[in-house]
Amino acid sequence: MAAIIEIPTKVLTNSSGQQRIPVIGMGSAPDFTCKKDTRDAIIEAIKQGYRHFDTAAAYGSEQALGEALKEALDLGLVSREELFVTSKLWVTENHPHLVVPALQKSLKTLQLEYLDLYLIHWPLSSTPGKFPFPIAVEDLLPFDVKGVWESMEECLKLGLTKAIGVSNFSVKKLQNLLSVANILPAVNQVEMNLAWQQKELREFCSANGIVLTAFSPLRKGGSRGANEVMENDMLKEIAEAHGKSIAQVSLRWLYEQGVTFAAKSYDKERMNQNLQIFDWALTKEDLEKMDQIKQNRLIPGPTKPQLNDLFDDQA
Ligand SMILES: NC(=O)c1ccc[n+]([C@@H]2O[C@H](COP(=O)([O-])OP(=O)(O)OC[C@H]3O[C@@H](n4cnc5c(N)ncnc54)[C@H](OP(=O)(O)O)[C@@H]3O)[C@@H](O)[C@H]2O)c1
């Protein structure tokens, strides 16, 4: 077996302890694969060195991930302390009184006593119990950010999670949250890739001690035509010059920007490829060219019709 790759970590300065989040995480959404595929992929990922596993109540992957983690723990492949498990609060439970029960339910499904990170999945609240996706705007309710965040802080105090954070929050939405928070969010998980570089949001997060985790780092999660990253001729040239794949060049770029990311591959070779980004570097010329890539968002948000003010100033 190939040597396990040691993935660097970043300290979550805004959480209560000294938690460290691995720079590379393994995604699990959307989980339409059979449970055995998920289980096999997670076990393989642990063998290769992955320690951060990203899931959410909405993904349908908590159960299979939990079973795989339990098996890995029982086999002694890894200890609970070495793992970093993230899950997320879905919009139907984004109400102050539903936060703690939602996290308790996720923990039960995952067969875990605590999470390492719990995130508000979207800055939106919808009618409890109604689960259509995309969410109909008629089902949206006012988002009580202060009340929900107090409940997130309660989750931390109860020891149900080691750190709390948010996902899909723009600068403006983070500013609102920071104005009411007693404990600052440790992480903001958002779309970030070479075709959606999030410069303003990154600066804001960095200035406020919030670690940014990039989702859809290869821009493959959406369902639409050309992939502006994986089918980009300029990136292909850069990749060939380094003897790497476009995926590796894209992930290395994220690493060099100082963010963490969750990429998803359930394929043994590709998940290994995505770890091989630490012993080489992009050149200044590469970075200048990458800066010129046309920017647009891949993930438009979970509502139908789409909400113009959901991301407000995220760019
Ligand atoms: N917070 C949020 O709202 C949110 C939204 C979206 C995603 N996420 C999280 O972020 C994770 C990653 O995002 P994502 O799944 O949208 O996108 P992604 O990681 O950019 O792309 C995943 C796709 O890329 C393929 N892939 C992975 N490595 C590859 C490689 N080296 N070469 C070629 N293809 C490769 C995978 O296929 P194979 O499996 O066949 O390799 C899969 O189809 C999700 O799984 C989820 O956990 C969070």
Side-chain angles (χ1 to χ4, degrees), residues 28-29 54 59 167-168 189 216 218 262 264-265 270 273-274:
S28 69
D54 181 75
Y59 294 168
S167 176
N168 298 300
Q189 184 182 113
S216 300
L218 304 177
K264 181 195 177 195
S265 181
R270 286 190 288 280
Q273 196 190 106
N274 295 349

Side-chain angles (χ1 to χ4, degrees), residues 146-220:
K146 183 169 187 292
V148 167
W149 192 252
E150 273 170 16
S151 300
M152 292 291 284
E153 292 172 344
E154 182 65 15
C155 291
L156 198 62
K157 286 175 197 147
L158 290 170
L160 301 174
T161 183
K162 301 271 186 202
I164 50 176
V166 295
S167 176
N168 298 300
F169 271 51
S170 63
V171 168
K172 209 184 238 174
K173 290 191 166 54
L174 282 175
Q175 282 167 334
N176 280 344
L177 173 58
L178 297 192
S179 72
V180 297
N182 290 313
I183 299 167
L184 300 183
V187 166
N188 187 19
Q189 184 182 113
V190 293
E191 178 186 341
M192 179 176 161
N193 48 57
L194 276 159
W196 193 238
Q197 301 189 5
Q198 297 276 23
K199 287 184 184 163
E200 185 194 346
L201 185 64
R202 265 194 271 154
E203 277 167 26
F204 184 87
C205 286
S206 167
N208 288 281
I210 301 168
V211 170
L212 191 148
T213 298
F215 71 67
S216 300
L218 304 177
R219 209 170 167 83
K220 284 191 101 181

Side-chain angles (χ1 to χ4, degrees), residues 282-298:
L282 295 163
T283 65
K284 191 167 163 279
E285 291 72 33
D286 295 336
L287 294 168
E288 281 165 6
K289 286 185 198 158
M290 289 166 154
D291 224 21
Q292 304 306 316
I293 295 175
K294 199 166 157 233
Q295 298 294 296
N296 62 68
R297 181 190 307 285
L298 172 71

Side-chain angles (χ1 to χ4, degrees), residues 54-102:
D54 181 75
T55 183
Y59 294 168
S61 55
E62 284 182 329
Q63 189 181 342
L65 173 60
E67 284 167 13
L69 295 180
K70 181 169 186 321
E71 187 174 332
L73 290 166
D74 288 348
L75 288 171
L77 295 178
V78 74
S79 70
R80 176 65 189 91
E81 294 69 37
E82 289 171 298
L83 289 171
F84 189 101
V85 184
T86 298
S87 192
K88 309 183 195 87
L89 176 76
W90 188 233
V91 294
T92 46
E93 268 122 358
N94 211 358
H95 304 279
H97 66 295
L98 296 179
V99 176
V100 171

